[in-house]
Amino acid sequence: MNTFVLRLVYLHSHVRWYTVHFAGHERTEYADFLARMGAETDPKHKRDLNDLKAAIQIIGNKYGAYPKYFRDEQDIVHRGEAMAVPSKFMMRSQLRLYCQILSPRVVILFNGDFKTKGPIAAQDCPRVEPHFTKANALTRVINQALEDGEHLHWDVTRTVLVFDPNKPINP
């Protein structure tokens, strides 16, 4: 995994949404997700993407980032904290956008895809597994960076991440 920096994506009244930008990559993880999912030609997939973006806005402006609004697909075995955005608002969608909820006011968006239909776990789905695994690895790196406090820390209110966008975080 390359070094990365965080980028602010959305600033809503209740939630700040960040994403990861790997060194040497043209797009952030979230921008890559939007580009790939936006290129889908299936009308249901386009609707699911629009619903997901609307859910991010609703969570950000109305509710705050509480775990009950997200799909819990945490990888406890590997100590990852990746969850999917969101489940409460998109009950039938197979679209998975992985994220890390750092607090009710701060979320890191990663990447994702459409999960294979049926009773298959994210870890076993060929489409979402790479994104799920990477998201879980990133949650561990971000938690360690917050603990170290050198490249990433909270402001005094614990509602804003403080970091230098020119100083990458090393995995």
Side-chain angles (χ1 to χ4, degrees):
M1 186 181 315
N2 296 341
T3 61
F4 63 89
V5 295
L6 296 178
R7 303 274 188 232
L8 183 63
V9 179
Y10 300 118
L11 178 57
H12 291 129
S13 59
H14 292 290
V15 180
R16 289 175 184 266
W17 304 84
Y18 297 88
T19 192
V20 170
H21 193 178
F22 287 105
H25 290 217
E26 183 179 322
R27 294 190 285 231
T28 66
E29 285 292 285
Y30 181 60
D32 179 68
F33 170 80
L34 291 177
R36 286 183 307 101
M37 298 304 101
E40 288 278 346
T41 56
D42 183 333
K44 181 186 179 313
H45 287 180
K46 287 188 182 281
R47 185 188 73 228
D48 287 353
L49 179 61
N50 288 335
D51 288 349
L52 182 135
K53 290 191 287 188
I56 287 172
Q57 195 169 25
I58 291 167
I59 290 168
N61 284 322
K62 189 172 181 181
Y63 298 116
Y66 294 95
K68 67 182 181 180
Y69 298 120
F70 296 81
R71 179 180 295 280
D72 185 355
E73 292 184 349
Q74 295 183 46
D75 187 357
I76 302 300
V77 173
H78 296 101
R79 299 180 329 208
E81 297 178 3
M83 297 185 80
V85 176
S87 66
K88 184 170 178 70
F89 301 102
M90 301 172 58
M91 296 305 282
R92 292 185 204 108
S93 177
Q94 295 299 316
L95 185 58
R96 300 292 188 272
L97 170 60
Y98 293 102
C99 70
Q100 180 179 18
I101 303 169
L102 290 176
S103 79
R105 305 211 22 112
V106 176
V107 176
I108 312 287
L109 298 173
F110 300 124
N111 210 323
D113 208 322
F114 283 93
K115 187 178 105 26
T116 305
K117 288 185 179 182
I120 183 171
Q123 299 92 317
D124 300 324
C125 173
R127 293 185 75 173
V128 300
E129 183 277 329
H131 304 293
F132 181 69
T133 298
K134 184 191 275 187
N136 276 298
L138 285 166
T139 68
R140 292 188 301 274
V141 171
I142 290 167
N143 286 341
Q144 187 63 52
L146 278 168
E147 190 176 307
D148 295 345
E150 184 179 340
H151 294 291
L152 181 64
H153 61 275
W154 291 102
D155 73 341
V156 293
T157 65
R158 289 192 57 87
T159 61
V160 177
L161 291 177
V162 178
F163 56 91
D164 181 344
N166 298 313
K167 268 189 164 175
I169 297 170
N170 297 308

